[in-house]
Amino acid sequence: MWPTSVRRLFCLYQRRCKFLPAGPCSKGPHRSSSSDFSQTTHDALYPGHIPTTLLQKSLLAVGSGVTALQNPYRHDMVAVLGETTGHLALVQLRESMRNDPEGFSILMERPRIRLSTLDLNKMSLMPDGSFGREYLCFLDDNHVTPDSRADVKFVDDEELAYVMQRYREVHDFLHTLLGMPTNMLGEVAVKIFEAANTGLPMCVLGAVLGPLRLKTSHLQTLFKTLGPWALQNGRKARCVLNVFYERRWEQNVEELREELNIDPPPVTVAKRSTHRAAEH
């Protein structure tokens, strides 16, 4: 049994999830803007923030980690794991953004990636091969929506909370750039890339434990081609949080890959239309 205080935290988290934008606990619309992380209340660092002690964070990390390992499709538990284990990596990512002109602009403007902030009709009119058109195809092919990203709750720093939120919301952009679908093999490949690029413990854990859920043929593909490619490219690529993707819709996706120092995928991974593995 978990300590009573931790069970209460999860209950509070689930209750607040009712107000999240189309997240795993959410029903109904949500209006998001760049001001979401600049408006605070008297008892929190940012809207939805749940203050926790180091002990509570440790217990939440263990509990969410065990649950996410048993069921990778528990997006809420993957989100909690990322927030309660990522402080040091988030600090480094913030410093990288502060020291990069484009990353600094993102920190100042605080853009959010939601259906309410995207012009999907305009993307549909863009030429084949453009980043915007390829991203739209990714959403359609994999039956996903940017509104599925839960809001950050357990990061005890307003700016670091935005960095974590930004990581979550650019995840599908990485799928697009890496040419990976949302099946388990594609998610593991993206996690390996993210682990090498961001250093987030949650990504490292997903990269290490994710292969345990792959079938033999996918394991062979991962170890022989996709894994080494994802690891190498994650290490040498530009920090993925330092790109203002919203200003790159019309850019050719191949040119954007070259700019970020990302090689095309060595193999094509087949898509699937059922469950999506948890990312965050």
Side-chain angles (χ1 to χ4, degrees):
M1 296 292 292
W2 287 17
T4 301
S5 61
V6 178
R7 293 202 303 271
R8 288 175 178 172
L9 280 173
F10 269 116
C11 289
L12 178 60
Y13 174 78
Q14 290 172 343
R15 287 200 299 271
R16 292 191 180 184
C17 275
K18 294 178 180 179
F19 303 100
L20 293 179
C25 305
S26 170
K27 295 180 180 180
H30 170 85
R31 294 182 180 178
S32 65
S33 69
S34 60
S35 63
D36 284 354
F37 281 88
S38 60
Q39 298 176 354
T40 59
T41 60
H42 68 281
D43 60 346
L45 297 175
Y46 50 87
H49 175 228
I50 303 177
T52 50
T53 65
L54 180 60
L55 176 60
Q56 289 172 328
K57 278 186 171 59
S58 300
L59 293 172
L60 285 169
V62 172
S64 59
V66 171
T67 304
L69 180 60
Q70 294 173 339
N71 182 3
Y73 301 105
R74 283 294 302 272
H75 302 79
D76 53 343
M77 293 297 97
V78 176
V80 172
L81 178 63
E83 294 174 30
T84 54
T85 61
H87 178 76
L88 294 179
L90 289 174
V91 171
Q92 293 179 348
L93 289 169
R94 178 176 63 183
E95 289 307 304
S96 174
M97 296 178 75
R98 285 177 173 178
N99 293 320
D100 182 273
E102 202 165 351
F104 184 76
S105 295
I106 294 169
L107 282 179
M108 293 299 99
E109 297 184 30
R110 305 288 181 90
R112 299 296 303 273
I113 302 167
R114 297 284 191 241
L115 286 176
S116 60
T117 65
L118 299 177
D119 190 342
L120 299 185
N121 289 331
K122 183 178 180 180
M123 288 183 188
S124 68
L125 299 176
M126 291 180 181
D128 292 339
S130 63
F131 177 59
R133 181 64 178 271
E134 293 301 313
Y135 171 64
L136 181 61
C137 290
F138 166 82
L139 296 179
D140 291 341
D141 291 346
N142 293 278
H143 308 289
V144 296
T145 169
D147 284 355
S148 64
R149 301 289 172 256
D151 282 351
V152 173
K153 300 292 180 183
F154 295 111
V155 177
D156 294 330
D157 180 285
E158 184 266 344
E159 193 170 44
L160 293 182
Y162 176 75
V163 175
M164 173 60 82
Q165 192 72 45
R166 181 67 176 178
Y167 156 73
R168 288 180 182 170
E169 294 182 4
V170 304
H171 178 80
D172 285 344
F173 295 160
L174 301 185
H175 272 277
T176 302
L177 289 171
L178 298 174
M180 292 294 110
T182 59
N183 59 16
M184 187 59 70
L185 178 58
E187 290 292 354
V188 172
V190 173
K191 273 292 168 283
I192 293 173
F193 177 94
E194 290 177 336
N197 191 266
T198 69
L200 286 167
M202 173 196 65
C203 299
V204 176
L205 188 64
V208 172
L209 299 181
L212 298 178
R213 290 186 166 270
L214 294 176
K215 58 186 180 181
T216 303
S217 60
H218 284 176
L219 273 175
Q220 293 175 345
T221 301
L222 182 70
F223 290 141
K224 290 182 179 180
T225 55
L226 278 184
W229 163 78
L231 182 62
Q232 179 185 19
N233 279 269
R235 287 174 174 170
K236 69 185 182 72
R238 178 181 174 185
C239 177
V240 295
L241 297 188
N242 289 339
V243 182
F244 218 133
Y245 297 96
E246 297 91 327
R247 297 175 179 173
R248 308 297 191 97
W249 298 130
E250 296 183 3
Q251 185 173 356
N252 182 273
V253 70
E254 298 296 338
E255 293 179 359
L256 183 55
R257 279 181 184 154
E258 184 176 354
E259 178 184 337
L260 300 183
N261 205 20
I262 297 175
D263 299 325
V267 295
T268 300
V269 180
K271 302 177 179 65
R272 71 174 186 181
S273 59
T274 54
H275 297 292
R276 175 180 187 159
E279 314 90 346
H280 321 301

